[in-house]
Amino acid sequence: MIDFPIADLFDDSLCLLWLERHLHTAGFVCPHCGSANRRLFRRQGHYDAYRCRACDGYYTLLSGTVFEASRKRPAVLVLLLRGIAKGESTARLARELHLSRQTVHTRRQQIQANLNDSTPTEMMGRGAHNGGALLAR
């Protein structure tokens, strides 16, 4: 089977928008106090850093997610999530995205654990749901 370096074909700015929409479904707010009032603090790597105007907390787009300490390009994170959702093997994802197998395995485990934590606890239609974001830490 041929592995394609598809991360090189994706636009990071579009992937940043996708990550913001899917990692922060309720809106991109300060993880410390919940305020949406922020200022740009520093441009660094692929993810700008912000300071909250309410609590002076420091955060990035990845703060509070399983990708918090990651320095990977936005395209790599989007493709990693896509591969995990499709059931791609850890080895294949690692090769295609130029990541270590351990990194892919660890992220897969964290995402699957969060998925298990956020599954409904009762039958549909009863309104009960065991909270927790899919990609939260």
PDB file of all heavy atoms in Angstrom, residues 15-16 26 57 61-62 70 92 95 101 116 121:
ATOM      1  N   CYS A  15      -7.224  24.724   8.326  1.00  0.00           N
ATOM      2  CA  CYS A  15      -7.235  23.719   9.390  1.00  0.00           C
ATOM      3  C   CYS A  15      -7.355  24.375  10.763  1.00  0.00           C
ATOM      4  O   CYS A  15      -8.006  23.828  11.659  1.00  0.00           O
ATOM      5  CB  CYS A  15      -5.981  22.843   9.319  1.00  0.00           C
ATOM      6  SG  CYS A  15      -5.993  21.746   7.887  1.00  0.00           S
ATOM      7  N   LEU A  16      -6.759  25.559  10.937  1.00  0.00           N
ATOM      8  CA  LEU A  16      -6.912  26.302  12.194  1.00  0.00           C
ATOM      9  C   LEU A  16      -8.375  26.655  12.438  1.00  0.00           C
ATOM     10  O   LEU A  16      -8.876  26.509  13.560  1.00  0.00           O
ATOM     11  CB  LEU A  16      -6.085  27.585  12.158  1.00  0.00           C
ATOM     12  CG  LEU A  16      -4.685  27.532  12.716  1.00  0.00           C
ATOM     13  CD1 LEU A  16      -3.967  28.850  12.492  1.00  0.00           C
ATOM     14  CD2 LEU A  16      -4.667  27.159  14.170  1.00  0.00           C
ATOM     15  N   ALA A  26     -18.478  25.472  21.914  1.00  0.00           N
ATOM     16  CA  ALA A  26     -19.263  26.537  22.550  1.00  0.00           C
ATOM     17  C   ALA A  26     -18.627  27.902  22.329  1.00  0.00           C
ATOM     18  O   ALA A  26     -19.084  28.897  22.875  1.00  0.00           O
ATOM     19  CB  ALA A  26     -19.389  26.256  24.043  1.00  0.00           C
ATOM     20  N   GLY A  57      -5.279  35.360  32.109  1.00  0.00           N
ATOM     21  CA  GLY A  57      -4.823  33.995  31.837  1.00  0.00           C
ATOM     22  C   GLY A  57      -4.208  33.873  30.449  1.00  0.00           C
ATOM     23  O   GLY A  57      -4.589  34.582  29.522  1.00  0.00           O
ATOM     24  N   LEU A  61      -5.167  28.104  21.192  1.00  0.00           N
ATOM     25  CA  LEU A  61      -6.285  27.339  20.643  1.00  0.00           C
ATOM     26  C   LEU A  61      -6.304  25.913  21.187  1.00  0.00           C
ATOM     27  O   LEU A  61      -7.355  25.301  21.329  1.00  0.00           O
ATOM     28  CB  LEU A  61      -6.183  27.316  19.112  1.00  0.00           C
ATOM     29  CG  LEU A  61      -7.268  26.579  18.358  1.00  0.00           C
ATOM     30  CD1 LEU A  61      -8.591  27.324  18.493  1.00  0.00           C
ATOM     31  CD2 LEU A  61      -6.901  26.434  16.907  1.00  0.00           C
ATOM     32  N   LEU A  62      -5.140  25.372  21.521  1.00  0.00           N
ATOM     33  CA  LEU A  62      -5.047  23.984  21.966  1.00  0.00           C
ATOM     34  C   LEU A  62      -5.140  23.816  23.479  1.00  0.00           C
ATOM     35  O   LEU A  62      -5.194  22.686  23.966  1.00  0.00           O
ATOM     36  CB  LEU A  62      -3.740  23.365  21.461  1.00  0.00           C
ATOM     37  CG  LEU A  62      -3.551  23.372  19.946  1.00  0.00           C
ATOM     38  CD1 LEU A  62      -2.215  22.741  19.579  1.00  0.00           C
ATOM     39  CD2 LEU A  62      -4.690  22.671  19.239  1.00  0.00           C
ATOM     40  N   SER A  70       1.103  20.009  22.136  1.00  0.00           N
ATOM     41  CA  SER A  70       1.547  19.678  20.790  1.00  0.00           C
ATOM     42  C   SER A  70       2.083  20.895  20.059  1.00  0.00           C
ATOM     43  O   SER A  70       1.577  22.000  20.194  1.00  0.00           O
ATOM     44  CB  SER A  70       0.388  19.083  19.991  1.00  0.00           C
ATOM     45  OG  SER A  70       0.792  18.825  18.672  1.00  0.00           O
ATOM     46  N   ARG A  92       0.137   3.129  10.181  1.00  0.00           N
ATOM     47  CA  ARG A  92      -0.082   3.861   8.927  1.00  0.00           C
ATOM     48  C   ARG A  92      -0.173   5.366   9.165  1.00  0.00           C
ATOM     49  O   ARG A  92       0.420   6.161   8.443  1.00  0.00           O
ATOM     50  CB  ARG A  92      -1.338   3.358   8.232  1.00  0.00           C
ATOM     51  CG  ARG A  92      -1.591   4.057   6.910  1.00  0.00           C
ATOM     52  CD  ARG A  92      -2.816   3.469   6.210  1.00  0.00           C
ATOM     53  NE  ARG A  92      -3.093   4.190   5.010  1.00  0.00           N
ATOM     54  CZ  ARG A  92      -2.601   3.869   3.816  1.00  0.00           C
ATOM     55  NH1 ARG A  92      -1.805   2.839   3.686  1.00  0.00           N
ATOM     56  NH2 ARG A  92      -2.923   4.582   2.757  1.00  0.00           N
ATOM     57  N   ARG A  95       3.258   6.787   9.819  1.00  0.00           N
ATOM     58  CA  ARG A  95       4.057   6.924   8.592  1.00  0.00           C
ATOM     59  C   ARG A  95       3.597   8.098   7.752  1.00  0.00           C
ATOM     60  O   ARG A  95       4.405   8.896   7.300  1.00  0.00           O
ATOM     61  CB  ARG A  95       3.980   5.636   7.758  1.00  0.00           C
ATOM     62  CG  ARG A  95       4.823   4.502   8.272  1.00  0.00           C
ATOM     63  CD  ARG A  95       4.925   3.376   7.241  1.00  0.00           C
ATOM     64  NE  ARG A  95       3.645   2.977   6.664  1.00  0.00           N
ATOM     65  CZ  ARG A  95       2.854   2.027   7.148  1.00  0.00           C
ATOM     66  NH1 ARG A  95       3.198   1.364   8.226  1.00  0.00           N
ATOM     67  NH2 ARG A  95       1.722   1.722   6.542  1.00  0.00           N
ATOM     68  N   ARG A 101       5.049   6.269  16.315  1.00  0.00           N
ATOM     69  CA  ARG A 101       3.907   5.391  16.614  1.00  0.00           C
ATOM     70  C   ARG A 101       3.418   5.631  18.033  1.00  0.00           C
ATOM     71  O   ARG A 101       2.228   5.574  18.306  1.00  0.00           O
ATOM     72  CB  ARG A 101       4.301   3.927  16.419  1.00  0.00           C
ATOM     73  CG  ARG A 101       4.429   3.560  14.957  1.00  0.00           C
ATOM     74  CD  ARG A 101       4.873   2.150  14.767  1.00  0.00           C
ATOM     75  NE  ARG A 101       3.803   1.243  15.133  1.00  0.00           N
ATOM     76  CZ  ARG A 101       3.879  -0.079  15.030  1.00  0.00           C
ATOM     77  NH1 ARG A 101       4.974  -0.642  14.571  1.00  0.00           N
ATOM     78  NH2 ARG A 101       2.871  -0.832  15.380  1.00  0.00           N
ATOM     79  N   ASN A 116     -15.367   7.635  25.341  1.00  0.00           N
ATOM     80  CA  ASN A 116     -16.073   6.741  26.265  1.00  0.00           C
ATOM     81  C   ASN A 116     -16.686   7.520  27.427  1.00  0.00           C
ATOM     82  O   ASN A 116     -17.775   7.201  27.891  1.00  0.00           O
ATOM     83  CB  ASN A 116     -15.143   5.657  26.788  1.00  0.00           C
ATOM     84  CG  ASN A 116     -14.802   4.632  25.736  1.00  0.00           C
ATOM     85  OD1 ASN A 116     -15.541   4.446  24.770  1.00  0.00           O
ATOM     86  ND2 ASN A 116     -13.680   3.971  25.896  1.00  0.00           N
ATOM     87  N   THR A 121     -25.426   7.857  28.945  1.00  0.00           N
ATOM     88  CA  THR A 121     -25.542   6.817  29.968  1.00  0.00           C
ATOM     89  C   THR A 121     -26.927   6.183  29.992  1.00  0.00           C
ATOM     90  O   THR A 121     -27.122   5.174  30.642  1.00  0.00           O
ATOM     91  CB  THR A 121     -25.225   7.395  31.359  1.00  0.00           C
ATOM     92  OG1 THR A 121     -26.093   8.506  31.603  1.00  0.00           O
ATOM     93  CG2 THR A 121     -23.773   7.834  31.435  1.00  0.00           C
TER      94      THR A 121
END
